[in-house]
Amino acid sequence: MEIPVQHINGEPLNDEQRKYLEGFFAGLAAHGVSLAMSRRFPAAEKKISLDDLIFEERVKHELHPLDAYDQILENAVTNKSPDKEEIFRFKWNGLFFLDAEQGGVHGAAALFPAAC
């Protein structure tokens, strides 16, 4: 059986890969499925308008929360309260901001899982 794939990442298939793919495509053929049945369509490019996103998705699109560590450090050094977007981002790093109006101490609290 001729398999439609002969190379992976520019290198020819080894015997194990070839045998696996022959069996895989033979199984597809036994069920009446072939690659000729599928057609390739170019992926449509989606332009995302930030105005169409909800707050959380907009904030994540602007800067991924796990990439906000430098902002956490800068806020700590300058003793700056985080804005609304930063509060959302910092939650991903386990930091929850409580100000005096919310019954907390002005600052950030880190939540760590309890030791077993």
Side-chain angles (χ1 to χ4, degrees), residues 75-76 78-83 86-87 96-110:
N75 285 9
T78 60
N79 198 25
K80 175 186 172 257
S81 298
D83 60 20
E86 291 172 342
I87 290 173
F96 296 85
F97 182 78
L98 300 173
D99 62 16
E101 295 172 5
Q102 295 172 320
V105 177
H106 192 76

Side-chain angles (χ1 to χ4, degrees), residues 29 35 49 55 62 66 69 72 75 82 85-86 102 105-106 108 110:
L35 290 181
S49 170
F55 169 76
E62 290 171 355
L66 295 177
Y69 188 72
I72 293 171
N75 285 9
E85 287 84 5
E86 291 172 342
Q102 295 172 320
V105 177
H106 192 76

Side-chain angles (χ1 to χ4, degrees), residues 11 20 44 51 78 89 107 111:
E11 297 198 18
Y20 174 84
D51 297 332
T78 60
R89 284 188 195 107
L111 301 180

Side-chain angles (χ1 to χ4, degrees), residues 19-40:
K19 287 179 185 177
Y20 174 84
L21 290 174
E22 286 173 353
F24 178 77
F25 288 112
L28 288 177
H31 285 79
V33 178
S34 71
L35 290 181
M37 297 172 71
S38 65
R39 291 188 273 172
R40 292 186 177 200

